Amino acid sequence: MTRISFRMEGGRVAGVTASGHSGYAADGEDIVCAAITSAVRLTECALNDVLGIGAAVKVRERDASVSIKLPGGLGEQNEQTCQTLLTALMLHLSALRDEYPDHLTVLADEDTAR
């Protein structure tokens, strides 16, 4: 099962980590893992390449795990855009979880029930 954890700091999404294989299909054929990876990569590209805050967004990959961590002090406009992107990612992955509940879990700091 893939576990996606959103780190919250007050009302702010501070980062996200996705880890583990969903188990929907074999490696290279797993549409759930592909959807998760694609969504996280799109968000990372928007943060780093479109917004141009590449030095500020930390992306780490290791052992079937990827994480994005936002720093503080981004400035009001960049912070608002980052929050929009990460909230959209959370909603998208939550919808994917609802479609494939046996293969994906989505958590936030305040929400440990799922």
Side-chain angles (χ1 to χ4, degrees):
M1 177 176 283
T2 300
R3 177 185 170 105
I4 299 171
S5 179
F6 285 87
R7 289 182 305 284
M8 307 299 292
E9 292 176 354
R12 176 180 187 262
V13 182
V16 59
T17 300
S19 61
H21 182 64
S22 78
Y24 183 79
D27 288 352
E29 298 176 9
D30 193 317
I31 62 171
V32 176
C33 282
I36 294 165
T37 300
S38 180
V40 172
R41 282 291 179 204
L42 175 63
T43 303
E44 182 265 327
C45 287
L47 295 169
N48 285 333
D49 301 331
V50 176
L51 288 178
I53 57 172
V57 176
K58 307 283 190 236
V59 177
R60 299 170 194 246
E61 288 186 64
R62 60 174 164 55
D63 304 327
S65 175
V66 62
S67 63
I68 297 173
K69 181 179 179 188
L70 293 180
L74 288 173
E76 187 175 336
Q77 184 174 4
N78 278 343
E79 178 68 29
Q80 184 177 17
T81 303
C82 288
Q83 291 307 302
T84 298
L85 290 168
L86 288 174
T87 301
L89 178 64
M90 186 184 301
L91 291 171
H92 175 69
L93 293 174
S94 293
L96 190 63
R97 175 213 46 221
D98 292 346
E99 194 170 342
Y100 299 96
D102 295 334
H103 304 282
L104 168 65
T105 185
V106 178
L107 307 166
D109 285 348
E110 294 86 14
D111 177 16
T112 58
R114 289 188 171 198

